[in-house]
Every structure is written in C-alpha cells, then in structure tokens.
Amino acid sequence: MSRTLAGPATLDLTVKKSLFRAHAAPIGSEQDATAFLMRIAVPDATHNCWAWKCGARYRSSDDGEPGGTAGRPILQAIEMQDFDGVVVMVTRWFGGVKLGAGGLVRAYGGVAASCLRQAESVPLVVTTTLRLHVPFGALPLIQSRLDIWGARQDDCRFDAEGAWLELTAPLAEQDNVLTALRDLTRGQATIEILDPAG
C-alpha cells in the first residue's frame, strides 16, 4: 500500500564538504508541490534540486546539476519507498570538491531516501467524493456518523426541501456509506458519486 508523509521532514548530509539539505512534505496536488518548492528554495544555494509524485503525475528538476544526477535520483527515492503525494527538495551548498556524476546521484538520492526513511509516514487512503440531497431530519443523523465512516463533510447548503451535502469518504467504505445513507434517509436521498477514484 502506498503511503505519504504525516508532516514535513528535514535532513542534512555533508558529502566531501558539500552540504545537502533535504526537505520533504506531503502534497495533494501539483499546485501544493509548486508552492512548497517556491517557499523552501534557497536563492543563494548552489542548487535547489527536487522531485514530486502525486498519483500518476510526477516531475523532477536537476537545477543546473548534470542531467539525471539530482532530480531523477530524488524521484527514485520517493518511488522506491512507495511514497505518493510527496515532494522532496534537496538544496546543495558546494564545498569545493567535485563529486562526479556517480557521487551526485548517490548524494542526492541518498539524502532524499534517508529523509523519507526517518520521517513519520501514514497509509495513503484513496477517497471518493459524494454529493447528496437529504431531508432536514436526516442531516443530524448523517453528520453524527461521519467519524464512524472515516468521512468528512466538505460542504453543506440548504434549500426548501432539505440539505445538499458533499462528503469525502474512503473508497474502501463507499458501498457501506451508500447503504447507510439510503437507510438513514429511508431511500429519500439523492446521491451522486463525483470522484469514484479519489
């Protein structure tokens, strides 16, 4: 099962007088990754190399290091440990000793892998999004069961007949949640699955 980080993590590694600092964080989108990279980049560092993976999408950058010696090893560190929804930036301050292509691959990949290994991780739960319309009387019953289902309410709007809800629930629990919603509303709920694959 894929996992993601529980929160941000940092690790320093010195290799032949060059300091490599890895910053890792969980992300939910490409926009999250971009915002993190812009916030963490150190303008006066020699290089700010990075990689991220979020579902089927991924990107990496060597930021001026020889092609394939920084971004790709960082991405491999993410993938080899079965992480998803994760961004890692490794910032390098050159210490005066050239490492060569193999040394750079080992340094960038190694500090990224070590940072991810020591960070707290959590299983990545694939979710589904449901939009439903329920009678007023069913609303408190549904809201009282969200924790039991491992679900959360993302939106709630009212009209003359009841409430429109948007819920996010674990995909593995989707059938149980749908059955419970129908039972709680005595079949009066209108339910639409917006995002069946998380």
Side-chain angles (χ1 to χ4, degrees), residues 28-137:
S29 67
E30 183 172 351
Q31 292 77 18
D32 291 349
T34 301
F36 174 84
L37 295 169
M38 289 176 62
R39 190 173 68 251
I40 296 299
V42 180
D44 63 353
T46 315
H47 302 282
N48 289 286
C49 305
W50 52 264
W52 58 262
K53 182 175 187 307
C54 193
R57 297 183 56 78
Y58 59 90
R59 294 281 182 275
S60 64
S61 169
D62 294 315
D63 189 38
E65 292 283 28
T69 62
R72 176 63 60 189
I74 296 168
L75 182 60
Q76 287 174 336
I78 294 169
E79 292 174 333
M80 293 297 289
Q81 295 185 50
D82 203 20
F83 275 100
D84 196 358
V86 168
V87 59
V88 179
M89 174 176 277
V90 178
T91 301
R92 179 187 184 197
W93 289 269
F94 182 58
V97 178
K98 292 189 177 181
L99 301 180
L104 290 172
V105 168
R106 287 188 295 277
Y108 279 103
V111 72
S114 294
C115 182
L116 292 170
R117 265 195 302 276
Q118 61 93 30
E120 184 180 350
S121 65
V122 293
L124 191 63
V125 178
V126 179
T127 60
T128 185
T129 303
L130 307 172
R131 181 185 296 147
L132 53 144
H133 187 267
V134 299
F136 289 114

